[in-house]
Amino acid sequence: MEPVRADEFKVRVVSHGWCVQESDEALVPVPFPDDSPAGGFLAQFERRLDFCSAGHTHYAVVTVEHWGAEPEPDRRTVWDEVAEAVFVSASGVAAIWSDGRHHELTLLAPGTWRVRAYCAGRAEVAQADDADDVADGIEVYVLQFWPQA
């Protein structure tokens, strides 16, 4: 089974964080970065998913896969982190945020989505961050979205 569509973005990570939230900000009760927890990997809020990066400020590569049904777990690499959450979008459009809106992501439809998130390169981006090296493209995320049954 293959994804219906896949989108790839370079996401600016600022202060160890970025998020995917409902594009219509009026529908997001607590917009990013309010209440974003320090540490961890994935935090679920109403109409918002926060991701905690291992690097402070850099560009991560994020691939968003849109599936018609639950995909098999991703085995393309050994992932440092894997987590699942639920994302609700009334508009069918999500926005990727860090220090502002960076990208729009059109989902297959409005509704409730399951999301499986993966991340690799965390130790390497933290090491580059500690050495004040350029960490762009080291940390990689894959987000799999499929309709909640």
Side-chain angles (χ1 to χ4, degrees), residues 53-139:
S53 170
H56 185 276
T57 305
H58 64 99
Y59 283 91
V61 176
V62 178
T63 302
V64 179
E65 298 176 346
H66 308 266
W67 294 81
E70 182 176 359
E72 292 292 320
D74 189 289
R75 299 192 194 321
R76 286 175 272 193
T77 191
V78 175
W79 297 103
D80 300 333
E81 299 281 354
V82 179
E84 289 193 17
V86 174
F87 181 75
V88 178
S89 174
S91 69
V93 180
I96 295 178
W97 282 77
S98 62
D99 58 348
R101 178 191 290 263
H102 292 279
H103 303 284
E104 279 207 347
L105 176 65
T106 302
L107 302 171
L108 297 179
T112 302
W113 296 88
R114 294 288 308 163
V115 180
R116 186 177 301 131
Y118 303 86
C119 185
R122 293 177 71 79
E124 294 86 350
V125 81
Q127 183 178 19
D129 200 45
D130 288 344
D132 291 328
D133 288 339
V134 175
D136 291 351
I138 294 174
E139 199 171 49

Side-chain angles (χ1 to χ4, degrees), residues 39-43 50-53 81-83 117-119 122 141 143:
F41 168 60
L42 172 62
D50 287 9
F51 296 89
C52 183
S53 170
E81 299 281 354
V82 179
Y118 303 86
C119 185
R122 293 177 71 79
Y141 294 81
L143 310 181

